[in-house]
Amino acid sequence: MRLNNTGAWQPGDAPGGRRFVETHPADAPLRLVSGQTLGPVTMSYESWGALDADRSNAVLILPPLSMTSHAAGPAGPGHRAEGWWNSLIGPGRAVDTDRFHVVVANNLGGCDGSTGPASLDARGRPWASRFPALDVVDQVEAEAALADALGIERWHTVIGMSIGGARALEWAVSRPHRVGRLLLIAVAAATRVEQAGHTHVELELIRRDPHFHGGDFYHLPEGCGPRTGVSLARSFAHMRYGTERYWQERFGGQAWYHDPGVCHAKFREYVLAQGDKVWERFDANAYLVLSETALNATVARGRGGIGEALARITCPTRVLGFSTDRAYPPETQRELAAGIRGARVDIVDTDLGHYGFILAPELIEPHLRLALA
């Protein structure tokens, strides 16, 4: 059954490097924080490097909202682009696949092979608007079931960035015995008010698109989905993840002040094109589900507060932030590290803002090597 109006990976598409594990069959569904259940649940992932005899060299990398499991490798069938950390994962690289078995899981609730709104339920119907709300706790529960299926009892290191960092944090808080080391990149212990405000605007742009139809648009003719809403939402996010200096230098430098019209036109064209690209490879309902999960992310829920939650972490921990990150400013990383016993915090000086972990792998490399040492 092919769905229209979605950039989601669908069964029948080339799998590329994806592998699939059914972690929760329909008759044993995943019980969610909300009280609802979700089943069947399939988790998709990619991996590189061999698992050693005692299964102690496995590294889990948890990507941000719009990234997939294709963190390394070339573009090709099943993968529109080369791996987003291609220069960091591989033989002899910072995440050395001669030494480690590296696993990157696709987000539960996303659209790249793990169960999400564009997946089919037990009766063969797309979930669409019926897909339940998720919590970071639910996502980690599914990732833990994936680890169980792979025979990995304890990760050598868990690495997460942005909302993937919230899941890495949840791993270390809820399952300290399963995490040997922890690297948290550009994340906070709880979603900030300003970040939440920006996200609410993004989601309203999608919901108010007249072609959204409450999330039930997969059965409509191709071209009748909420392309405008998704594209504008991602364009808005893309702008705020960069910085004033970065955008100015990229689109005109001093020309901003001498001929702003030309620079503005180039900037507008670029930003809107980025939004269109996300529509082509993503799913509107998954964008909503994952963004709402990020909105409600807090390590404190049900644990007596942030301090009590962070006190549960027992592994060596490094926290990395970026000096110009407006989504998760440096003070949030310092606060996070201050609550984790023995944690080391590093703030990278860069003009790249929140996108530092994608756009400047050379800035990340030494910190990855230290975390994995």
Side-chain angles (χ1 to χ4, degrees):
M1 178 183 189
R2 297 294 300 176
L3 306 184
N4 293 331
N5 304 304
T6 178
W9 183 93
Q10 300 184 50
D13 293 342
R18 297 174 190 80
R19 300 179 185 181
F20 304 89
V21 172
E22 186 179 69
T23 57
H24 296 82
D27 59 356
L30 175 63
R31 298 194 176 277
L32 306 176
V33 168
S34 66
Q36 294 181 273
T37 60
L38 178 63
V41 171
T42 294
M43 291 294 291
S44 72
Y45 71 98
E46 292 182 52
S47 64
W48 303 265
L51 193 61
D52 61 17
D54 59 2
R55 299 177 178 268
S56 64
N57 71 330
V59 173
L60 177 63
I61 298 178
L62 299 172
L65 184 147
S66 63
M67 296 299 178
T68 71
S69 63
H70 195 56
H79 302 296
R80 292 186 175 93
E82 69 173 20
W84 47 271
W85 260 14
N86 214 31
S87 65
L88 296 174
I89 301 173
R93 294 175 182 170
V95 186
D96 187 353
T97 53
D98 285 338
R99 179 184 173 198
F100 296 111
H101 176 64
V102 181
V103 176
V104 183
N106 280 307
N107 301 325
L108 178 67
C111 57
D112 207 61
S114 291
T115 296
S119 302
L120 303 183
D121 65 13
R123 296 173 61 184
R125 304 172 301 170
W127 282 98
S129 64
R130 298 178 297 112
F131 196 83
L134 297 179
D135 191 274
V136 168
V137 170
D138 303 322
Q139 293 176 316
V140 171
E141 190 71 30
E143 290 163 3
L146 172 63
D148 292 342
L150 299 178
I152 299 170
E153 295 183 5
R154 178 179 171 87
W155 298 103
H156 178 282
T157 305
V158 175
I159 301 168
M161 61 226 69
S162 193
I163 189 57
R167 299 201 304 283
L169 186 61
E170 175 63 28
W171 264 97
V173 168
S174 63
R175 296 166 173 80
H177 59 290
R178 301 194 70 167
V179 181
R181 293 172 178 81
L182 181 65
L183 175 60
L184 304 170
I185 304 173
V187 70
T191 301
R192 301 170 63 250
V193 174
E194 184 179 8
Q195 172 76 352
H198 288 144
T199 302
H200 279 302
V201 172
E202 291 177 47
L203 301 189
E204 282 305 303
L205 286 169
I206 297 173
R207 292 190 182 105
R208 296 189 186 197
D209 187 312
H211 298 291
F212 181 58
H213 299 288
D216 295 314
F217 50 80
Y218 299 135
H219 66 287
L220 299 175
E222 193 67 58
C224 294
R227 178 178 190 130
T228 298
V230 171
S231 297
L232 289 177
R234 195 57 189 174
S235 295
F236 176 65
H238 193 70
M239 283 189 294
R240 65 187 174 86
Y241 285 157
T243 65
E244 171 69 21
R245 184 172 177 180
Y246 171 70
W247 294 127
Q248 180 182 320
E249 290 184 353
R250 179 164 182 171
F251 293 96
Q254 291 300 311
W256 272 104
Y257 305 116
H258 302 296
D259 192 1
V262 172
C263 297
H264 293 169
K266 292 179 180 178
F267 184 44
R268 174 183 179 277
E269 181 181 1
Y270 167 80
V271 168
L272 294 179
Q274 297 307 304
D276 286 339
K277 286 181 181 178
V278 168
W279 165 258
E280 291 165 2
R281 67 176 178 81
F282 218 73
D283 176 71
N285 285 319
Y287 197 120
L288 290 171
V289 168
L290 295 180
S291 296
E292 288 175 339
T293 302
L295 270 175
N296 295 312
T298 175
V299 75
R301 188 179 297 114
R303 292 170 176 145
I306 288 175
E308 289 81 354
L310 297 181
R312 300 184 181 196
I313 297 176
T314 58
C315 62
T317 300
R318 301 183 75 93
V319 181
L320 184 64
F322 303 103
S323 60
T324 52
D325 191 342
R326 292 183 292 175
Y328 295 99
E331 61 264 27
T332 62
Q333 281 87 58
R334 294 190 182 100
E335 292 166 358
L336 183 57
I340 301 173
R341 189 182 305 110
R344 163 76 182 267
V345 61
D346 292 293
I347 305 299
V348 176
D349 189 20
T350 174
D351 293 330
L352 296 175
H354 189 61
Y355 279 146
F357 61 85
I358 295 295
L359 298 178
E362 70 279 3
L363 298 178
I364 302 295
E365 181 174 5
H367 300 281
L368 280 172
R369 291 188 183 277
L370 287 170
L372 292 164

